[in-house]
Amino acid sequence: RKEVEQDPGPFNVPEGATVAFNCTYSNSASQSFFWYRQDCRKEPKLLMSVYSSGNEDGRFTAQLNRASQYISLLIRDSKLSDSATYLCVVKGNYGQNFVFGPGTRLSVLP
Amino acid sequence: DAGVIQSPRHEVTEMGQEVTLRCKLISGHNSLFWYRQTMMRGLELLIYFNNNVPIDDSGMPEDRFSAKMPNASFSTLKIQPSEPRDSAVYFCASSYYTDTQYFGPGTRLTVL
């Protein structure tokens, strides 16, 4: 089993739709969680960190369920500019490295 | 402040040649990560350094790959000899101890 797994996608949604991505991780000792966004032929960029209590940044909401080892990202009122690959990232403590999921590609259609 | 700087941005070389990729960290950061990304395997961590010391190189594919960090702000990833299967985008990322990693623009390597 891979350390971090994500919905395979791709997701093709119309503008204005709400879309949710799921991510599961296998290492129960993981401490930090993130969503990164990667545009085509560009580098990954931090979208948001994921906190235990859940957090929201505008149209984006991230949730963490430690018991189920599950992270989610919800995008409301999707825009054409949201089209990208979304990478789930998990990190342990004490120098453990970041583990990136395979990514879920989103295409928002006009 | 400048972000992570990588050079070259594109490299085309022939099989058997030596390839050197370069990375400059964000000023003040002390951790550096080298990644490789392909369509088939996604983003793979090759090696990371903390305070110039290699911490985990378990992702380095084989002895043809080597990475150094001669000072606190600069690193090189060398492939010698290069093979067509090394073709990929190589990213460097830096961070301050833990949490957020900032990626450079990547080097797109093609080995013919």
Side-chain angles (χ1 to χ4, degrees):
Chain A
R1 183 186 170 190
K2 291 184 180 177
E3 277 195 72
V4 179
E5 299 195 65
Q6 295 186 239
D7 289 332
F11 283 57
N12 299 315
V13 302
E15 268 186 291
T18 295
V19 60
F21 303 136
N22 299 318
C23 170
T24 56
Y25 60 95
S26 60
N27 185 350
S28 60
S30 300
Q31 293 294 322
S32 303
F33 309 90
F34 310 88
W35 283 102
Y36 274 68
R37 169 197 169 125
Q38 186 173 23
D39 292 293
C40 187
R41 301 180 77 84
K42 298 282 192 181
E43 72 272 24
K45 291 184 178 177
L46 178 68
L47 178 66
M48 59 198 302
S49 301
V50 186
Y51 304 121
S52 295
S53 54
N55 47 301
E56 190 173 306
D57 182 3
R59 297 181 293 107
F60 298 83
T61 301
Q63 297 276 353
L64 168 64
N65 184 323
R66 285 186 187 274
S68 301
Q69 295 179 203
Y70 165 94
I71 306 157
S72 66
L73 176 68
L74 183 78
I75 305 175
R76 289 182 300 278
D77 187 23
S78 52
K79 312 289 185 193
L80 295 176
S81 57
D82 294 334
S83 297
T85 296
Y86 290 83
L87 302 162
C88 174
V89 186
V90 172
K91 181 185 176 301
N93 268 347
Y94 309 116
Q96 291 174 45
N97 62 53
F98 284 57
V99 180
F100 282 76
T104 301
R105 196 167 75 191
L106 171 67
S107 293
V108 180
L109 308 172
Chain B
D1 187 18
V4 175
I5 299 172
Q6 289 188 247
S7 65
R9 295 292 305 276
H10 301 272
E11 176 83 23
V12 180
T13 191
E14 292 188 347
M15 183 173 67
Q17 296 297 307
E18 177 181 302
V19 174
T20 300
L21 311 181
R22 296 174 177 79
C23 174
K24 185 174 186 300
L25 279 70
I26 292 172
S27 177
H29 282 192
N30 65 343
S31 295
L32 179 140
F33 305 79
W34 280 104
Y35 291 91
R36 176 172 70 175
Q37 188 172 41
T38 61
M39 289 291 292
M40 292 295 294
R41 310 246 270 275
L43 199 61
E44 303 172 278
L45 178 68
L46 301 177
I47 185 172
Y48 82 95
F49 295 82
N50 195 35
N51 292 322
N52 302 9
V53 177
I55 302 299
D56 183 357
D57 65 354
S58 59
M60 296 286 263
E62 47 198 274
D63 291 346
R64 298 185 297 107
F65 286 67
S66 62
K68 292 183 180 178
M69 202 164 172
N71 59 54
S73 61
F74 181 74
S75 176
T76 59
L77 177 68
K78 188 176 290 188
I79 308 172
Q80 180 184 22
S82 57
E83 296 182 3
R85 60 193 168 118
D86 302 331
S87 297
V89 180
Y90 290 81
F91 288 107
C92 170
S94 80
S95 70
Y96 180 68
Y97 281 109
T98 59
D99 290 346
T100 308
Q101 291 188 8
Y102 296 88
F103 282 74
T107 296
R108 187 169 295 273
L109 174 65
T110 303
V111 183
L112 303 173

